[in-house]
């Protein structure tokens, strides 16, 4: 009996049936019951650390935890899509600052993460940890993640060259002091070709990473604690003008050293002497610029005014529990086990130089060890002393847009400054920043969930200070 549609369709049908049957059998053989918790992280170092700790938690609670590692950007985008579509998501997830804001564009009840505010306050974690770190993981007064770190920022510098130049860093108390020393002793044309061969500081032209750090240190920010846009404040304008003067034109004190090998060569060659270094980056320098061992040292950031804040912050990780999790209490226990584990803090600091937000951990012996790379300084103690001063950083749902628009103004302002100098610079920067802010406010106003009534409801529920 012949197949009515011919031999080719017959064999295509046979292959399709065999393939389908094989896939079904394979799926049945390889499928396993879902573990009690699925926990996704983006940092390889965190993945390695948790692999060591989780078996003990599994044994104590008689549960199974599946740990996964995914790069941060796909983790954010896939998680956003899955939460919107209502498809399966992990029970717990670590998120990188400032991407938490991307999850905060809707009403609070639809954020997708468990509101941890009451749990944190009931267990006094807001008192035991650095309070400002909760700001990154908050929206409209509610906390949606537990902070993993503090990341206080300091200045790392070429101690050997700085001492040869007769500079006493203990006398540099303010940024005005720093700029004065830079002009008097550091920025020099050493070979007589008319081009400086040594600069004081590493600053990017666009302000990437460094401008928000300086703005936070000064007490400015892109958003306030209720998510209102503050990117065009007078403080932001003042800081932008300062940044442009130090990074553009003939009198600049900085050089844009870039990243990776260009940066390490600039530091090794003495083209730049000072660079911003949060705790995590101090370990990166140790590993990637090992030739500078014993030649480097750390100092607190110069303050914006005498007696002012001597640090800022750069980066951060938070742990959130998804609303879809069927084991929220178990997830909360695992979060505390991993983030409040004193046994892990010492090893974490030895491996990564990261200061935990739990203040009682800072007295551990690991934080008192002299570091040979930084000329024998006890950098754990130095960063721990800076940590309580770390400023709050309210991210907001449109943080990435605001950061991009602010950097556009910095670049445009720099071009203007190189062409016209100080004349009209403030007016130009102010006008450009107000234009960018007006655009962002227009976009934000289209979001009905972030209008005043929504914020008022959140206030009624209790705000985080």
């Amino acid at each position: 009996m012949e197949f009515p549609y011919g031999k080719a369709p017959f064999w295509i049908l046979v292959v399709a049936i065999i393939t389908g049957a094989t896939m079904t059998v394979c799926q049945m053989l390889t499928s396993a019951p879902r573990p009690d918790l699925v926990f996704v992280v983006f940092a390889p170092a965190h993945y390695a650390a948790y692999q060591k700790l989780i078996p003990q938690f599994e044994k104590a609670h008689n549960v199974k935890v599946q740990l996964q590692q995914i790069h941060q950007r796909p983790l954010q985008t896939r998680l956003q899509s899955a939460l919107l579509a209502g498809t399966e998501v992990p029970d717990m997830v670590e998120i990188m600052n400032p991407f938490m804001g991307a999850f905060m564009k809707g009403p609070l009840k639809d954020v997708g993460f468990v509101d941890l505010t009451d749990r944190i306050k009931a267990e006094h974690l807001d008192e035991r940890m650095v309070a400002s770190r909760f700001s990154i993981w908050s929206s409209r007064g509610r906390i949606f993640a537990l902070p993993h770190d503090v990341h206080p920022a300091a200045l790392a510098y070429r101690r050997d060259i700085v001492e040869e130049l007769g500079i006493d860093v203990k006398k540099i108390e303010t940024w005005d002091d720093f700029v004065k020393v830079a002009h008097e002793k550091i920025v020099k044309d050493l070979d007589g070709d008319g081009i400086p061969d040594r600069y004081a500081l590493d600053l990017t032209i666009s302000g990437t990473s460094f401008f928000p750090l300086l703005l936070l240190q000064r007490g400015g920010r892109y958003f306030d604690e209720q998510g209102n846009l503050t990117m065009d404040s007078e403080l932001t304008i003042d800081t932008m003008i300062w940044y442009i003067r130090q990074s553009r034109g003939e009198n600049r004190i900085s050089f844009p050293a870039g990243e990776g090998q260009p940066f390490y060569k600039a530091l090794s060659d003495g083209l730049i002497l000072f660079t911003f270094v949060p705790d995590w980056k101090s370990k990166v320098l140790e590993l990637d610029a090992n030739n500078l061992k014993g030649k480097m040292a750390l100092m607190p950031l110069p303050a914006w005014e005498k007696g002012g804040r001597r640090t800022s912050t750069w980066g951060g990780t938070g742990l959130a529990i998804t609303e879809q999790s069927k084991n929220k209490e178990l997830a909360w226990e695992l979060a505390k086990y991993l983030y409040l584990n004193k046994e892990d803090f010492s090893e974490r600091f030895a491996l990564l130089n990261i200061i935990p937000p739990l203040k009682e951990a800072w007295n551990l012996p690991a934080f008192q060890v002299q570091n040979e790379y930084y000329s024998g300084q006890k950098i754990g103690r130095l960063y721990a002393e800076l940590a309580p001063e770390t400023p709050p950083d309210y991210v907001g749902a449109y943080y990435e847009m605001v950061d991009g628009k602010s950097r556009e103004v910095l670049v445009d302002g720099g071009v203007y400054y190189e062409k016209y100098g100080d004349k009209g610079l403030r007016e130009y920067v102010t006008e450009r920043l107000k234009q960018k802010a007006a655009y962002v406010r227009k976009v934000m106003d289209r979001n009905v969930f972030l209008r005043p009534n929504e914020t008022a409801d959140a206030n009624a529920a209790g705000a985080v200070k």
Side-chain angles (χ1 to χ4, degrees):
M1 179 178 174
E2 291 188 359
F3 191 65
Y5 303 106
K7 290 184 179 179
F10 172 76
W11 286 112
I12 292 174
L13 178 62
V14 170
V15 171
I17 292 173
I18 293 174
T19 304
T22 303
M23 292 179 64
T24 302
V25 171
C26 289
Q27 189 172 14
M28 292 175 63
L29 292 175
T30 58
S31 62
R34 194 181 196 275
D36 299 285
L37 291 174
V38 176
F39 179 25
V40 180
V41 302
F42 64 88
H46 294 194
Y47 181 80
Y50 300 156
Q51 272 190 315
K52 296 179 182 177
L53 294 171
I54 285 177
Q56 190 175 345
F57 180 86
E58 291 178 316
K59 186 177 180 181
H61 293 265
N62 191 28
V63 296
K64 184 66 178 174
V65 179
Q66 184 183 85
L67 184 64
Q68 301 177 11
Q69 183 198 340
I70 302 176
H71 189 274
Q72 168 54 37
R73 185 56 81 174
L75 170 59
Q76 176 203 334
T77 55
R78 291 177 190 176
L79 186 59
Q80 274 186 276
S81 301
L83 289 173
L84 287 171
T87 55
E88 188 173 1
V89 296
D91 299 277
M92 310 166 65
V93 60
E94 281 193 336
I95 298 172
M96 179 190 287
N97 181 31
F99 298 128
M100 191 64 166
F103 297 92
M104 302 299 174
K105 293 182 179 177
L108 287 172
K109 64 182 179 60
D110 292 337
V111 163
F113 299 132
V114 175
D115 183 343
L116 301 177
T117 313
D118 296 337
R119 294 171 187 263
I120 287 169
K121 289 189 174 182
E123 302 195 30
H124 302 291
L125 295 181
D126 54 332
E127 299 170 9
R128 295 172 62 194
M129 304 174 102
V130 177
S132 63
R133 298 308 285 172
F134 291 102
S135 61
I136 300 171
W137 316 108
S138 301
S139 180
R140 288 154 281 181
R142 310 303 292 177
I143 305 170
F144 292 92
L146 202 58
H148 171 271
D149 37 52
V150 185
H151 293 336
L155 279 182
Y157 65 95
R158 285 289 303 271
R159 181 196 54 77
D160 54 339
I161 300 177
V162 167
E163 288 181 355
E164 284 177 11
L165 296 175
I167 299 170
D168 183 356
V169 297
K170 292 180 181 176
K171 294 182 179 178
I172 301 176
E173 297 183 48
T174 66
W175 281 112
D176 286 343
D177 295 339
F178 186 89
V179 172
K180 183 179 179 183
V181 168
H183 284 306
E184 290 180 351
K185 296 188 175 182
I186 299 178
V187 182
K188 299 291 181 186
D189 170 18
L190 302 176
D191 57 13
D193 66 355
I195 301 173
D197 302 293
R198 189 175 62 215
Y199 291 89
L201 189 60
D202 173 30
L203 285 181
T204 55
I205 295 293
S206 65
T208 303
S209 300
F210 301 144
F211 176 73
L213 181 152
L214 287 164
L215 183 62
L216 286 172
Q217 185 204 4
R218 203 172 185 179
R221 56 195 63 142
Y222 292 152
F223 297 93
D224 66 17
E225 56 269 39
Q226 292 302 326
N228 300 308
L229 189 68
T230 57
M231 67 178 286
D232 53 346
S233 68
E234 286 299 315
L235 197 60
T236 304
I237 295 167
D238 287 344
T239 309
M240 277 193 169
I241 290 173
W242 183 93
Y243 193 100
I244 289 169
R245 286 173 177 159
Q246 311 313 327
S247 61
R248 306 292 287 260
E250 295 180 353
N251 293 320
R252 63 191 167 105
I253 65 166
S254 68
F255 180 84
E259 298 180 354
Q261 288 306 315
F263 167 77
Y264 295 120
K265 181 167 177 52
L267 191 61
S268 297
D269 291 350
L271 180 59
I272 55 168
L273 300 189
F274 291 79
T275 185
F276 294 102
V277 175
D279 54 357
W280 58 269
K281 196 174 180 184
S282 68
K283 175 58 73 174
V284 177
L285 277 186
E286 284 186 47
L287 298 175
D288 293 346
N290 189 257
N291 60 312
L292 296 178
K293 182 178 180 179
K295 299 179 180 178
M296 299 293 295
L298 297 176
M299 63 171 283
L301 299 186
W304 282 99
E305 64 285 331
K306 204 162 187 174
R309 181 185 285 128
R310 298 296 301 268
T311 190
S312 185
T313 185
W314 178 0
T317 298
L319 192 159
I321 300 170
T322 58
E323 275 290 356
Q324 289 187 37
S325 174
K326 295 179 180 177
N327 290 314
K328 294 184 180 68
E329 295 304 322
L330 184 64
W332 176 239
E333 291 303 316
L334 178 57
K336 290 189 293 182
Y337 172 73
L338 295 176
Y339 276 32
L340 307 178
N341 192 328
K342 290 184 181 177
E343 294 177 7
D344 178 50
F345 289 146
S346 297
E347 185 173 353
R348 187 196 305 177
F349 183 77
L351 288 173
L352 305 170
N353 289 0
I354 288 179
I355 298 292
L358 191 69
K359 290 180 276 190
E360 57 211 62
W362 302 342
N363 292 323
L364 291 170
F367 295 88
Q368 319 305 323
V369 175
Q370 291 183 319
N371 186 305
E372 295 306 317
Y373 185 87
Y374 292 101
S375 306
Q377 287 181 306
K378 296 179 179 179
I379 67 168
R381 180 187 295 178
L382 186 149
Y383 277 120
E385 288 174 353
L386 294 176
E389 289 187 70
T390 306
D393 183 11
Y394 298 99
V395 174
Y398 296 89
Y399 183 92
E400 287 187 272
M401 177 186 290
V402 173
D403 189 45
K405 296 298 180 187
S406 298
R407 285 189 277 120
E408 288 176 17
V409 178
L410 272 176
V411 172
D412 293 346
V415 172
Y416 180 97
Y417 181 66
E418 288 184 340
K419 190 172 183 179
Y420 302 107
D422 269 322
K423 186 178 181 182
L425 177 62
R426 170 171 285 275
E427 291 77 9
Y428 179 82
V429 168
T430 301
E431 182 183 358
R432 294 285 291 156
L433 195 59
K434 296 289 183 186
Q435 288 174 350
K436 301 293 184 184
Y439 173 80
V440 177
R441 287 195 176 93
K442 190 175 182 181
V443 173
M444 292 176 65
D445 286 344
R446 293 173 185 159
N447 188 337
V448 297
F449 302 119
L450 295 181
R451 288 174 180 171
N453 288 342
E454 171 69 14
T455 304
D457 291 343
N459 286 337
V464 179
K465 300 295 184 185

